[in-house]
Amino acid sequence: MEIREVAVIGLGTMGAGIAEVFAQAGLAVTAIEMDRAALARGMAALDASLSRAVARGKLAAAGKDQALGRVTAAADLAAAASAGLVVEVVPERLDIKRRVFAELDRVCRPDAILATNTSSLPVTAIAAGTQRPGRVAGMHFFNPAPVMRLVEVVAAVQTDRATVETVADLVRSLGKTPVTVTDRAGFVANALLLPYLNHAVSLLAGEFGGSRFIPAPLLRRMTEAGWTGRKGGRGFYDYGQDSPPEPSDTPPIPPNDSPSPLPAMTLIDCAADRTEAVAADALNAMIDAAGVTVTRVHTASGSTAAGSMAPGGTASGGAGPGGPAGGDPWPWSGGDLVVVAASPYAAVLAAVMPADRSPDMVGMHVAGGRLAEVISTVVSAPEAAARAAALGRRLGLEVIRCPDRPGFLVGALLYPHLNDAVRMVQDGYASAADVDTVMTLGCGYPRGPLAMLDDIGAGQAYAVLASMHARYGDPAFAPVPLLADHATARLAFHAGESAQ
Ligand SMILES: NC(=O)c1ccc[n+]([C@@H]2O[C@H](COP(=O)([O-])OP(=O)(O)OC[C@H]3O[C@@H](n4cnc5c(N)ncnc54)[C@H](O)[C@@H]3O)[C@@H](O)[C@H]2O)c1
């Protein structure tokens, strides 16, 4: 079925953008709002967006006029009567959507497809309220619709295959990428993104073990305060001012570390395999290039993985350097800071001292080659953390301070997110390629979660998750069986990429 004429119901943030996308693609668009005032606002937003496209050189002035010429504004659902496809973009409330669908079902052509842009409501329930459930689907555009290239096409259990194919073909003709999924809460993008963001809010308030699926208390308080984010003018940042302040109940930020000179350092390299040796080499080169005097000592004390440290050079959760076998003292030769390089990706760089020097021990985890997490144990002295932070800055890294918890901050946030992505693949809900397409095109990720996992190595993610699960007991942190399989088999999620 070829769609030439569409109707868009609701011209708010998303609806105005979706109407613009259709009009720019050459379709006749009926843009419908609930009353004349809302209609005028929606049409003004559409006009302004097209003007911005002209100002940025992305659209000719004549193109704007042509697009606007294809849009007919109306304040009555009956105006959708002749459309081959109707996209509902009214507020995210099932009662409102079902009312709109019941009315559209009555006024629209019997062969018209009715689509909803819902982000989280069951398309199945919306379809069930119509006499044409086979011709109801989800069409989940991303914000801003004219820019974002992804549309999740949602098939409810009742949706005909022909409906899905027609909608997916139309999405392609708009120059966008369709990813077809079945009707699960949040589909792919929001089901992965929202628990991840919620977890970030929990970590902001210092709750390392908080459930990722129950809205974080801070998020609830901010919503109650009307701090709903960019659309509401204020969220974690204030969009009305030049400099973005933190919300008032953000935990206090540790004071700036005083820059301490680092004239000499010992790097203890306890790499147990080639990957760890490469990481230790990279670290050595980084420190050397920063002009810090470094003595490198190799000790084959075994492999480690990122996780939680324990004072006195012992490790918990498979993490942190545990000291050389047989209880011998570390072969450190002094200097201002002793760094133990261990684990793939220079995961743990702990300034480890003998047991009686445990206040001098901190963790320093270099993530992504740009960030250093400086980790203090309960007995770490502030001066030790300050020295490690000074080293991090000397190496040109962004330094953050965090407590000693499995995964520290980066891993605690990232690995449960990657685990969720693997769960989707394991459950057969979406392929690894589809998950990565959704998160790159729909959420602006530079790499999809499965591609990231291939870079990091399933074994690394598995170890941190197992550590988090053991510590907090939350089943959401338990590594899913497919991740365990890939870790054991050292198998990548994308063919052709080698797992670490
Ligand atoms: N905002 C986003 O980033 C985003 C992204 C993807 C999907 N969505 C989904 O898109 C939908 C709309 O979200 P939004 O952010 O554009 O909301 P919005 O509040 O900005 O816009 C909703 C519009 O619908 C209009 N409306 C309400 N009842 C109506 C009716 N009976 N008939 C016609 N128009 C009616 C309102 O006047 C308003 O202009 C929701 O389902 C939301 O979950 C939003």
Side-chain angles (χ1 to χ4, degrees):
M1 173 177 172
E2 199 191 347
I3 308 281
R4 292 176 174 279
E5 184 183 339
V6 298
V8 177
I9 316 298
L11 289 190
T13 303
M14 290 305 293
I18 293 168
E20 179 186 335
V21 169
F22 286 133
Q24 283 216 50
L27 288 120
V29 184
T30 304
I32 303 176
E33 258 290 351
M34 61 193 300
D35 59 41
R36 293 273 157 205
L39 186 62
R41 278 196 303 276
M43 290 301 293
L46 200 163
D47 190 301
S49 175
L50 286 167
S51 296
R52 280 196 298 277
V54 173
R56 288 178 188 150
K58 295 188 172 163
L59 181 70
K64 175 190 168 184
D65 294 340
Q66 284 163 359
L68 281 178
R70 296 187 192 107
V71 182
T72 306
D76 184 351
L77 289 185
S82 56
L85 170 78
V86 182
V87 184
E88 165 276 309
V89 204
V90 303
E92 189 76 341
R93 276 184 38 195
L94 189 57
D95 58 333
I96 300 179
K97 292 196 188 280
R98 286 189 69 141
R99 257 201 319 276
V100 167
F101 267 76
E103 179 64 6
L104 289 172
D105 196 25
R106 206 177 55 76
V107 302
C108 289
R109 279 165 35 185
D111 65 338
I113 291 173
L114 307 184
T116 174
N117 188 51
T118 183
S119 301
S120 61
L121 299 171
V123 180
T124 308
I126 294 169
T130 71
Q131 302 300 312
R132 63 178 88 200
R135 279 192 292 284
V136 175
M139 205 174 173
H140 186 224
F141 286 83
F142 288 74
N143 188 20
V147 175
M148 301 303 281
R149 286 167 48 209
L150 181 77
V151 178
E152 287 176 314
V153 176
V154 185
V157 282
Q158 312 100 313
T159 311
D160 294 337
R161 176 183 283 267
T163 300
V164 175
E165 283 169 5
T166 302
V167 172
D169 285 345
L170 178 67
V171 169
R172 278 184 212 99
S173 75
L174 300 173
K176 297 192 185 289
T177 302
V179 169
T180 301
V181 290
T182 53
D183 186 20
R184 284 199 194 175
F187 317 127
V188 172
N190 285 329
L192 287 182
L193 184 66
L194 298 185
Y196 171 67
L197 297 181
N198 189 48
H199 195 199
V201 179
S202 295
L203 292 176
L204 176 69
E207 298 284 337
F208 270 75
S211 169
R212 297 160 59 255
F213 297 101
I214 299 170
L218 175 59
L219 203 52
R220 205 187 294 266
R221 283 204 299 281
M222 290 176 65
T223 307
E224 284 163 2
W227 294 10
T228 53
R230 192 183 289 272
K231 194 172 177 181
R234 182 162 193 171
F236 290 98
Y237 298 96
D238 187 340
Y239 296 93
Q241 297 177 14
D242 291 341
S243 60
E246 300 286 340
S248 56
D249 47 4
T250 296
I253 297 166
N256 273 341
D257 304 301
S258 53
S260 6
L262 289 168
M265 216 183 88
T266 302
L267 171 68
I268 299 178
D269 154 14
C270 56
D273 60 26
R274 199 183 58 82
T275 314
E276 294 191 1
V278 168
D281 285 347
L283 178 64
N284 192 61
M286 204 186 225
I287 295 169
D288 204 29
V292 178
T293 308
V294 54
T295 308
R296 183 170 176 173
V297 180
H298 178 76
T299 174
S301 65
S303 177
T304 62
S308 177
M309 318 184 297
T314 57
S316 66
D328 294 340
W330 283 103
W332 67 297
S333 55
D336 294 273
L337 187 67
V338 179
V339 171
V340 180
S343 181
Y345 307 96
V348 176
L349 319 175
V352 177
M353 303 292 175
D356 61 332
R357 300 281 305 273
S358 53
D360 295 331
M361 175 188 151
V362 292
M364 190 170 150
H365 171 214
V366 178
R370 292 168 58 188
L371 176 82
E373 294 175 292
V374 171
I375 303 118
S376 297
T377 70
V378 285
V379 294
S380 294
E383 168 61 15
R387 283 182 167 219
L391 172 66
R393 281 193 292 272
R394 182 81 75 87
L395 300 181
L397 301 166
E398 188 76 31
V399 175
I400 58 163
R401 307 276 292 272
C402 61
D404 183 20
R405 296 286 181 273
F408 313 130
L409 263 180
V410 172
L413 192 53
L414 180 64
Y415 295 134
H417 183 49
L418 302 186
N419 198 38
D420 287 345
V422 178
R423 187 182 290 112
M424 261 184 194
V425 176
Q426 172 188 276
D427 293 353
Y429 184 60
S431 66
D434 279 353
V435 168
D436 282 358
T437 299
V438 166
M439 301 314 285
T440 48
L441 296 188
C443 301
Y445 283 23
R447 311 247 308 132
L450 280 315
M452 269 191 249
L453 198 45
D454 282 347
D455 289 346
I456 294 163
Q460 170 85 353
Y462 180 89
V464 175
L465 284 162
S467 212
M468 291 177 73
H469 184 232
R471 178 83 169 250
Y472 307 121
D474 186 336
F477 296 141
V480 298
L482 186 65
L483 181 66
D485 290 347
H486 278 253
T488 306
R490 292 175 176 257
L491 186 66
F493 285 89
H494 291 287
E497 296 190 28
S498 65
Q500 299 296 326

